[in-house]
Amino acid sequence: MKNSLDSAGLDAAIEAVHRAGMPGLFAEVRDGDQVWRGAAGVADVATDRPVTADMRHRVGSVTKTFTAAAVLQQAESGRIGLDAPIGRYLPELVPGERGDAITVRMLINHTSGLAEYLPYAYPSLKGFPAPAATGPQSLDDHRFTRFDPAELIGMGVSAPAVGAPGGTPGVYSNTNYLLLTRLLEQVTGTTAERCITRNVIERAGLQDTELPAGPYVDGPHSRLYEAWFGMIDPPRDYSVFDMSWVGPSASLISTVADLNRFFGMLLAGKIVGPSSLAEMQRTCPVVSQEGRTIDYGLGLYPMEGPGQGVFWGHGGTVWGGGTLSMTRADGERQMSVAVNLQRWNRLDSSGRPQPHPIDDALAALYRVAMYG
């Protein structure tokens, strides 16, 4: 199973993603005690300021693993029952029969049947999940909007259900994780941000990771360029953005080094106990926001190459930024990659995203990073 790091191959692979059209990206790959860090391209297309591997970055839904871990910790202490109905804890947010039928576990693994609230919070996204029926106007309208999480949850809960509670395949929905952050607040008596910071971020010793209070990324970081399927040309910088539209379900700022440290500790049983980790790795089919069916656990999902062993981790996107962090089950091999352009695929005449050279180049980088 042991693979040594191919530094030259990694250097070439990350440069190939930049040449394929990615403005900038950076990564850290670990194999045992060996560490490779690399970067290619620019953090600012106007000034040609280069990206560096130590930059801080909005990691999007990678945050969900942190949130799930915080919930599992509370389950270990007896404050939360994974198979208890969410209506027991938050009856005002999920009332009636649905509150009785939807369990905490169903929220974590996206089998609650609750709809995504984003098309209701962002009017130009009302055609979601069909990209051709959406537009980017709301991103500008809401750059500095301070959303109320209870109102966002209300949008998702009142929208037509996307499935029966516990039914599969589940459907990925940020509504689930906003409810989990409110659950953390209910049982701990503090904010979800403080709970996750104290019990997960600080426990893991992450020095460059935080849940932001405002719209700015502190410290060295890249601008984040959103293309919205070719509808924004040239892509627009959304690195300054109020993240209350996702809150502690997807607003984390981190570094590729911190992400590798976190996932390494999580899979070693140092964030949650072994039985909780086993629960996190119990998967079911879930339809992702891109429309693909993936295996999803409790804030973790697997990736596997032929004969290479299983990697566990999470990916995430924000407006203009993307991240993928994967760690092999034995903890020895790790990869975290951050990119500063999103939704680069233009749509064809039928409204489907067209293949782009970035897709193949990123897949090749992931292969050499994970499997050598």
Side-chain angles (χ1 to χ4, degrees):
M1 192 69 77
K2 183 73 172 174
N3 297 323
S4 60
L5 288 181
D6 176 5
S7 295
L10 287 162
D11 289 340
I14 198 170
E15 186 62 39
V17 181
H18 171 53
R19 286 201 312 273
M22 179 62 63
L25 72 159
F26 48 99
E28 181 188 86
V29 179
R30 290 179 168 267
D31 192 277
D33 294 332
Q34 299 180 78
V35 181
W36 172 89
R37 295 185 183 95
V42 298
D44 186 329
V45 298
T47 66
D48 287 336
R49 173 171 58 94
V51 284
T52 58
D54 60 350
M55 283 183 160
R56 305 181 83 224
H57 195 69
R58 297 195 192 277
V59 301
S61 284
V62 178
T63 315
K64 289 181 170 61
T65 312
F66 289 69
T67 304
V71 173
L72 267 292
Q73 290 172 344
Q74 298 303 315
E76 290 174 352
S77 70
R79 294 189 185 94
I80 291 173
L82 287 181
D83 295 305
I86 190 61
R88 177 184 302 174
Y89 305 100
L90 302 171
E92 73 286 359
L93 292 177
V94 193
E97 292 183 3
R98 290 177 95 190
D100 293 336
I102 295 170
T103 66
V104 174
R105 184 190 302 273
M106 292 173 197
L107 296 174
I108 312 176
N109 68 10
H110 296 292
T111 59
S112 70
L114 293 172
E116 174 63 64
Y117 61 78
L118 273 178
Y120 304 92
Y122 283 75
S124 70
L125 305 188
K126 64 181 179 293
F128 174 87
T134 67
Q137 298 87 349
S138 298
L139 276 61
D140 291 309
D141 296 341
H142 288 307
R143 185 187 286 266
F144 294 107
T145 299
R146 196 71 185 163
F147 285 104
D148 179 344
E151 290 183 8
L152 294 175
I153 291 168
M155 295 173 188
V157 171
S158 61
V162 293
T168 57
V171 177
Y172 192 98
S173 169
N174 282 292
T175 306
N176 294 317
Y177 273 73
L178 271 193
L179 277 164
L180 292 170
T181 66
R182 295 303 289 257
L183 173 62
L184 285 173
E185 293 175 352
Q186 176 77 18
V187 302
T188 65
T190 188
T191 66
E193 287 90 346
R194 194 168 298 129
C195 172
I196 295 167
T197 298
R198 183 176 62 234
N199 296 332
V200 181
I201 295 171
E202 291 178 358
R203 180 181 293 197
L206 308 182
Q207 300 298 311
D208 293 305
T209 298
E210 66 174 339
L211 290 160
Y216 298 95
V217 180
D218 294 330
H221 64 280
S222 174
R223 295 187 182 276
L224 301 176
Y225 296 103
E226 180 60 57
W228 201 263
F229 307 104
M231 298 180 208
I232 307 176
D233 189 15
R236 192 171 301 139
D237 170 25
Y238 286 122
S239 54
V240 176
F241 211 98
D242 189 299
M243 295 300 290
S244 60
W245 63 277
V246 282
S249 72
S251 64
L252 197 74
I253 294 167
S254 191
T255 63
V256 288
D258 267 9
L259 291 182
N260 280 341
R261 178 178 174 85
F262 165 70
F263 281 103
M265 293 185 71
L266 179 69
L267 291 180
K270 296 178 180 178
I271 306 298
V272 300
S275 62
S276 293
L277 180 60
E279 293 285 349
M280 294 181 81
Q281 293 174 317
R282 285 176 55 193
T283 65
C284 63
V286 168
V287 179
S288 73
Q289 288 185 319
E290 294 76 37
R292 295 181 295 109
T293 300
I294 62 174
D295 294 322
Y296 197 93
L298 301 187
L300 282 176
Y301 61 80
M303 289 178 67
E304 188 170 4
Q308 298 287 349
V310 179
F311 283 68
W312 291 92
H314 212 290
T317 65
V318 295
W319 313 133
T323 310
L324 179 64
S325 187
M326 284 284 158
T327 292
R328 201 167 62 199
D330 63 6
E332 286 293 298
R333 185 85 176 197
Q334 299 188 271
M335 170 199 77
S336 290
V337 177
V339 300
N340 67 1
L341 173 69
Q342 277 302 298
R343 284 159 283 272
W344 52 78
N345 304 86
R346 292 178 178 270
L347 304 178
D348 63 19
S349 58
S350 63
R352 289 190 299 262
Q354 295 177 294
H356 190 287
I358 289 174
D359 303 324
D360 289 339
L362 261 181
L365 171 61
Y366 296 155
R367 280 195 300 272
V368 70
M370 294 166 68
Y371 310 126

